Amino acid sequence: MLLRKMFRDIKNNLGPFISIFLMTILASFVFSGINAEWYGMQTEADRFYEESKLPDLWIMGNKFDKEDLKRVKQMTSVSEASLRLSAHAITGKDNNKTLTINIIEDTTLSNMLIVEGKAFSSDEDGLWLDKYFAEANELSVGHTIFFEIAGLKLERTISGLILHPEYILSSEDGANMPDFEKYGFAFMHSSSFPQGFEIPYNQILISIKENNDEAVVYKELEYMFSDRYFMIIDRNAHQSVSAFRNEIEQNKAVGGVFPIVFFLIAALSLLTTMTRLTNSQRTQIGILKALGFSKNRILLHYISYGLWIGLMGSIIGLLTGPLLLSPILFDMQKTLYILPEWYAVISKESFIVAALLTISCGLSSYIACHKQLKDVPATCLRPKAPKKIGRCGIEKCIIWKKMSFAVQWNLRDVTRSRVRSLVVLIGIAGCTALILFAFGLRDTMNSAGSWMYGDLNVYENRINLTENPSDEDLSILDNSFNGQWVQESAIELKSSGTARQGLLTVLDEGTEIRFEDEKRNNLILPKDAVGISYKMADVLGVNIGDTIEWRIYGDRDWNKSKIALIYRTPVGQGISMRRAYYESNYSAFKPTALLTSEVIPEGLKSDAVKNIQNTDTLMNNFNTTLESIKTLIVILILAALVLGGVVLYNLGVLSFSERTRELATMKVLGFFPKQIRLLTQMQNTWLTILGILLGIPAGFLLVSYMFSTMHDTLDMMPYISTISVIISILVTLILSELINLVLSGRIKDIDMVSSLKSVE
C-alpha cells in the first residue's frame, strides 16, 4: 500500500521530482564520466609502464661505458640496469625534422611496444620508428630513412613502428604541444653502428629493488660518479611521465569540483519538495498512525522517496557517464598523449560518490518529514495551527512603508521561504559560474597564446641553428638579417635542497624578446644579475635578492647567480640574462637561434640552419590545445543551462503551488493577470541577479583553481574577458526570464473557488 502511495505522490508532484532526478543523474554523470576518463588513462599508463619495465631512475652523463654499467649493477639496491645513447638527429628532405634516436643494447628496461613490423633484435640492422611520426610523414615498414647522429650520416630501413612508455607525451624539448610531422623518436640496436665506432653512451637506466630508499641510491651514485658530470632524473622529474601525471591531477580536480553544486541542488530541492509534501499530507500521516502503522515505518516510507530517486539517478549517471562523457574527453586527450589503448574504468570513488548522493537524498527526506511524525494521531488529524509569523527585520525599518506593495509582498515571501530561496541562489550562482568557467578556459588559452607570441616574443621568424655552427655561417646570417641572437640551453636549478629542470635564455642586444610582470607591465632585464620566471621562483622558493645555483646539462660545476628580476611567461620556465653578463661571468656565448621580423626567402641554404619557425605556425600549434577543449566548453555550458533551468522551474512550481491561494485572493480583489504575473516575476528576477553576483566571483575562482593545478613548466595567468562576463550574465538572465514566462502562464488557469476553499 505504501509503495503504491509513493508512486501516486510522485506522479502528482512529477515536475519537482523529475528535476531532482535530473540533478542526481547530472551529479553522478559528470563525476563518474570524468573519473572514469582519468582513472582509465592512469590504469592504462600504469599497465604500459609495468609491462615495458619503465626505469625508476635515469642517470644522464657523458661517455658511460660497460664498466660503469657493471659497477651500477653491482649495487645491492639495483635490480636491473642498461646503457643507452639518446641524441637528436636531423632528418627529412629539407633537414627540417628532428628524431630522438635511442641506441640500446637490450630491452631489459624501457621496452618498446611493436605496433607493426618485426620484433626488436640485434640481428636486424634497421630502425624502429615512432608510429605517429611515421603516419604524419607517410612512412611505413620497409621505407628507408636518412639521418645524422653522433657525426655519422646513416641510412636505415624502417623495421617496425612502435609506441614507447617514455613518449606518452612526445614533444621536442621546450615544445608545449606534440608536432608529429616535425618531431618523433626511434630506436636502434648498438650492433647497427659501423664496426670500430665507440658509442658515447649518455644514459644509464636503473630499476631499484622494492623497499629500497632512493635517497640512499642517490648517495651511492654520487660517490660512484664523483669524477664527472652526471644528473639523476626520477619518474617525478621525467618530462613525459610528470606531464601525464599532472594531467591526471588536473582532471581529478575538475571532476571533484563540479558535482558539489549538483549535490547541493539535489539535496536542497528534495528537502523543499518533501517538506511541502509532508505538510500537505499531515492528515494522511495521522490516518496511517491511527491504522496502526508505526512511526518508523511511516518515516522509512517518506525517506524512501529520496532514497529511490537518489539511487536510480546515481546508477543511471554512474553507467552513462563512462559511456558518453569519457569518450568525448578522450578525444581531447588524444591530441596530447599517446597510449596503446583508451578505455574508461569506473573507480571505487565513483561508487562511493553514488552512495553518498543516495544517502544525501535520503537524509533530506528524513529532515523534511521527521517533525511531522512527533505528533499523536489525533493532533495530525486536526488542521495544523497556523504558523506564527512575526515581522521580519526589514519591516521594522523606516523605508518599509515607502516600498510598494509588490516589493513588500516579495520580501516577505523570500524571508519566509529561506530554503527555497537559498536553492535558487545556489542554482543560479552555479549556472553563472559554470558558463563563466567555460568561457574563462577559452579566454585564458587565447590570452596565453597572444601573450606569448604577440607581447613577449615579437619576432616573426625564428631561425634555429645546428649544434655547432661555424663562425663564417653565423656571420653570413648576421649580415643577411636584422634580429636578435639567443642562446637557449636546458639547465638544472637548485636552491635550499629543491632542484628542478629549466631553461637558460641568454639574450644578445635586440628587442625581439620582452619581459613582463604579473600585471603585464614591461620589465628590463638587469645588466649585472639574472631574471627568473615566476613559476620557477615559486617552485624553488626564492625571491628577488636571493642566490640560486644552476648548471647547463653536461657541465660538472655549478654556477651561482643573484636574482634581480621576476618575470611571467606561459612556457619556458627558468632564468634569463644578458649576453655581456653571461660571457663575463660564466662562459662563451653559443647562439642557438636568430630571431628576426624580416621576411626569410624560401629555400634558404646554410649549414648553420637547422630549421625555420614562423610565429604564425607556433601560434597555431599553441592554439591546438584550445581546439581540444571546445567540446569541454560546450559540455560545461549545457550542464550550466540544465542546472539553472531545472532549479528555476522546480522552485518556481513549488512557489506557485504554495502561493496559489494568495494569487487567487489577488484575482478576487481585482488584480489583473498581467499585474500578478509581474508581481511573481519580481522575486525570481531578484534572486537571479543576486545569484549572478555570487556566481561571477565563483567563476573566476574556478578558472584560477583550474590553472593553478597545471604543470610546473606552464604558467597561465587566469583571464576572463568583459565580453565573456556579459555573455554569461545575459545567458543566465535570458534563461531566468524564459522560465518565468513559462511559469507565469499558469496564473490564468487558477481556479479561484477551489483555491480559496482549500483550507476548509
Side-chain angles (χ1 to χ4, degrees):
M1 184 181 78
L2 292 180
L3 183 62
R4 290 197 301 270
K5 176 181 176 297
M6 182 184 72
F7 288 140
R8 185 173 60 249
D9 289 340
I10 291 177
K11 180 181 178 181
N12 294 335
N13 298 271
L14 197 58
F17 280 113
I18 286 179
S19 67
I20 297 165
F21 185 57
L22 289 175
M23 286 295 101
T24 58
I25 290 176
L26 277 173
S28 181
F29 176 84
V30 172
F31 182 85
S32 63
I34 296 177
N35 189 269
E37 176 246 1
W38 69 254
Y39 193 68
M41 291 170 59
Q42 183 178 21
T43 301
E44 175 61 12
D46 290 343
R47 184 198 65 80
F48 195 21
Y49 291 155
E50 183 177 357
E51 290 187 1
S52 59
K53 296 183 179 179
L54 187 72
D56 296 309
L57 300 176
W58 289 259
I59 306 177
M60 310 292 189
N62 292 323
K63 295 184 178 179
F64 290 126
D65 54 30
K66 293 183 179 180
E67 184 61 33
D68 294 324
L69 179 64
K70 182 179 178 181
R71 292 162 61 195
V72 169
K73 285 184 174 181
Q74 289 175 346
M75 295 172 59
T76 56
S77 55
V78 172
S79 61
E80 297 286 353
S82 61
L83 283 171
R84 185 166 75 183
L85 168 63
S86 183
H88 289 327
I90 305 301
T91 187
K93 294 180 180 179
D94 299 321
N95 291 328
N96 60 347
K97 305 179 191 300
T98 303
L99 277 176
T100 298
I101 304 290
N102 298 276
I103 313 300
I104 60 176
E105 293 189 335
D106 55 58
T107 55
T108 303
L109 293 175
S110 202
N111 196 5
M112 66 195 78
L113 174 64
I114 308 293
V115 178
E116 182 182 344
K118 301 177 181 178
F120 187 82
S121 170
S122 59
D123 299 329
E124 187 70 28
D125 186 18
L127 185 80
W128 281 261
L129 184 63
D130 171 15
K131 172 192 172 185
Y132 287 87
F133 179 84
E135 290 178 351
N137 291 278
E138 299 181 348
L139 298 171
S140 60
V141 175
H143 282 174
T144 300
I145 188 168
F146 300 86
F147 57 92
E148 182 178 345
I149 182 174
L152 295 175
K153 292 184 178 181
L154 301 176
E155 172 187 348
R156 290 292 181 271
T157 300
I158 300 174
S159 297
L161 302 182
I162 62 171
L163 301 179
H164 198 275
E166 293 184 40
Y167 295 93
I168 285 181
L169 174 64
S170 178
S171 60
E172 196 169 5
D173 296 339
N176 57 291
M177 285 288 296
D179 185 351
F180 299 120
E181 185 180 356
K182 299 290 185 180
Y183 175 78
F185 60 89
F187 281 76
M188 293 173 56
H189 196 276
S190 57
S191 61
S192 296
F193 267 70
Q195 289 187 354
F197 180 81
E198 184 177 351
I199 301 175
Y201 292 108
N202 56 9
Q203 295 182 13
I204 299 179
L205 283 55
I206 295 177
S207 177
I208 301 175
K209 294 178 181 178
E210 292 185 9
N211 303 322
N212 277 272
D213 189 358
E214 282 192 6
V216 176
V217 179
Y218 277 40
K219 290 182 179 180
E220 290 186 50
L221 292 172
E222 287 176 359
Y223 176 78
M224 185 179 299
F225 297 112
S226 59
D227 59 334
R228 73 187 83 173
Y229 160 81
F230 81 100
M231 178 181 65
I232 301 175
I233 295 178
D234 60 15
R235 290 191 183 185
N236 292 329
H238 191 279
Q239 179 185 357
S240 172
V241 178
S242 62
F244 186 77
R245 186 186 65 250
N246 187 73
E247 182 70 30
I248 297 298
E249 293 300 323
Q250 277 186 285
N251 290 358
K252 279 185 181 180
V254 173
V257 168
F258 294 121
I260 294 175
V261 178
F262 297 105
F263 264 59
L264 288 173
I265 295 300
L268 291 175
S269 296
L270 186 60
L271 176 63
T272 304
T273 301
M274 291 302 299
T275 300
R276 174 179 169 274
L277 180 67
T278 52
N279 284 335
S280 66
Q281 293 189 355
R282 176 182 172 83
T283 303
Q284 294 185 34
I285 293 173
I287 293 173
L288 289 173
K289 284 186 173 183
L291 291 174
F293 285 89
S294 67
K295 174 183 174 182
N296 290 335
R297 189 174 178 186
I298 299 172
L299 181 63
L300 182 61
H301 164 67
Y302 283 105
I303 290 176
S304 66
Y305 286 59
L307 287 176
W308 280 113
I309 289 175
L311 180 62
M312 296 302 296
S314 299
I315 292 175
I316 292 174
L318 188 65
L319 296 176
T320 56
L323 290 175
L324 301 178
L325 183 57
S326 296
I328 295 173
L329 299 176
F330 285 149
D331 289 339
M332 296 164 45
Q333 300 295 349
K334 288 176 183 178
T335 63
L336 287 170
Y337 303 103
I338 300 169
L339 289 172
E341 300 288 342
W342 294 85
Y343 49 83
V345 177
I346 302 177
S347 67
K348 62 180 180 181
E349 286 83 3
S350 296
F351 289 100
I352 292 173
V353 167
L356 290 175
L357 183 57
T358 303
I359 292 171
S360 66
C361 289
L363 184 62
S364 295
S365 297
Y366 169 79
I367 295 172
C369 68
H370 81 284
K371 288 184 179 179
Q372 299 289 346
L373 300 176
K374 291 182 179 180
D375 296 332
V376 296
T379 304
C380 292
L381 291 171
R382 287 194 296 267
K384 188 176 182 179
K387 185 179 180 180
K388 184 179 180 181
I389 301 176
R391 298 169 65 193
C392 60
I394 195 170
E395 292 184 50
K396 301 176 183 179
C397 299
I398 300 175
I399 60 172
W400 177 258
K401 294 183 179 180
K402 298 181 181 180
M403 295 179 181
S404 65
F405 167 74
V407 174
Q408 290 179 341
W409 187 75
N410 279 293
L411 279 175
R412 281 197 187 102
D413 190 65
V414 169
T415 55
R416 293 170 184 175
S417 306
R418 295 184 180 88
V419 175
R420 188 182 71 219
S421 301
L422 178 63
V423 175
V424 174
L425 281 178
I426 295 175
I428 295 299
C431 175
T432 306
L434 286 179
I435 295 174
L436 200 59
F437 175 73
F439 286 119
L441 290 179
R442 182 201 62 180
D443 291 342
T444 301
M445 297 301 297
N446 272 335
S447 172
S450 60
W451 178 34
M452 182 71 183
Y453 298 108
D455 298 336
L456 301 182
N457 299 317
V458 296
Y459 55 86
E460 294 293 331
N461 293 290
R462 178 188 181 95
I463 305 175
N464 293 312
L465 307 178
T466 54
E467 194 166 335
N468 293 302
S470 66
D471 293 338
E472 182 181 354
D473 289 332
L474 293 178
S475 179
I476 293 173
L477 288 174
D478 193 38
N479 293 329
S480 301
F481 304 101
N482 291 320
Q484 183 175 15
W485 293 100
V486 60
Q487 174 185 338
E488 292 178 333
S489 305
I491 60 172
E492 298 174 76
L493 301 101
K494 67 178 183 179
S495 176
S496 303
T498 302
R500 285 293 186 275
Q501 301 174 57
L503 182 69
L504 167 67
T505 304
V506 182
L507 298 175
D508 201 358
E509 295 300 321
T511 58
E512 303 296 339
I513 292 184
R514 299 173 183 175
F515 297 89
E516 293 180 351
D517 61 15
E518 59 183 5
K519 296 182 179 179
R520 304 290 291 270
N521 298 316
N522 288 327
L523 300 172
I524 298 176
L525 199 62
K527 296 181 179 180
D528 56 353
V530 305
I532 187 170
S533 63
Y534 172 83
K535 198 71 172 281
M536 185 61 72
D538 182 57
V539 170
L540 295 178
V542 296
N543 211 329
I544 293 177
D546 294 337
T547 299
I548 60 167
E549 294 183 79
W550 58 273
R551 66 179 179 183
I552 297 176
Y553 287 171
D555 291 349
R556 178 183 174 186
D557 299 325
W558 290 87
N559 303 303
K560 292 185 178 181
S561 298
K562 185 177 181 181
I563 300 172
L565 180 76
I566 295 179
Y567 58 88
R568 298 294 292 259
T569 180
V571 296
Q573 308 304 317
I575 59 174
S576 298
M577 64 186 76
R578 293 176 181 265
R579 174 178 179 173
Y581 176 73
Y582 179 75
E583 289 186 322
S584 62
N585 290 275
Y586 305 112
S587 183
F589 180 72
K590 297 177 181 178
T592 57
L594 174 62
L595 314 177
T596 179
S597 296
E598 295 186 1
V599 177
I600 298 176
E602 293 185 11
L604 175 65
K605 298 295 183 181
S606 174
D607 292 337
V609 176
K610 177 182 177 182
N611 57 52
I612 299 171
Q613 293 176 305
N614 183 273
T615 51
D616 291 337
T617 303
L618 294 172
M619 184 73 170
N620 290 335
N621 289 339
F622 194 91
N623 287 337
T624 303
T625 304
L626 180 62
E627 293 296 322
S628 67
I629 67 170
K630 279 186 176 179
T631 306
L632 178 60
I633 292 173
V634 172
I635 292 172
L636 291 174
I637 293 175
L638 289 176
L641 294 177
V642 171
L643 172 65
V646 167
V647 168
L648 284 172
Y649 183 79
N650 179 31
L651 274 302
V653 170
L654 286 177
S655 176
F656 181 84
S657 301
E658 291 174 355
R659 295 187 293 181
T660 300
R661 188 167 182 272
E662 296 176 39
L663 298 176
T665 304
M666 290 181 185
K667 292 183 75 174
V668 171
L669 293 174
F671 283 84
F672 292 104
K674 183 178 179 181
Q675 291 176 303
I676 300 175
R677 187 161 50 246
L678 293 174
L679 185 69
T680 56
Q681 288 178 349
M682 181 182 291
Q683 184 179 142
N684 272 355
T685 302
W686 288 353
L687 294 175
T688 299
I689 293 173
L690 185 56
I692 288 172
L693 294 177
L694 295 174
I696 290 173
F700 276 89
L701 288 174
L702 282 176
V703 174
S704 298
Y705 174 73
M706 175 69 178
F707 286 101
S708 69
T709 63
M710 297 195 78
H711 193 260
D712 291 344
T713 59
L714 297 174
D715 183 17
M716 304 283 187
M717 287 199 293
Y719 170 73
I720 302 178
S721 66
T722 304
I723 296 296
S724 294
V725 175
I726 293 173
I727 291 175
S728 301
I729 293 173
L730 289 177
V731 169
T732 309
L733 285 173
I734 292 171
L735 177 66
S736 175
E737 290 306 310
L738 289 175
I739 299 297
N740 281 339
L741 288 175
V742 172
L743 293 173
S744 60
R746 292 187 169 201
I747 294 174
K748 63 182 180 181
D749 298 326
I750 294 177
D751 186 343
M752 290 182 286
V753 175
S754 61
S755 298
L756 293 173
K757 291 179 66 177
S758 61
V759 295
E760 294 182 6

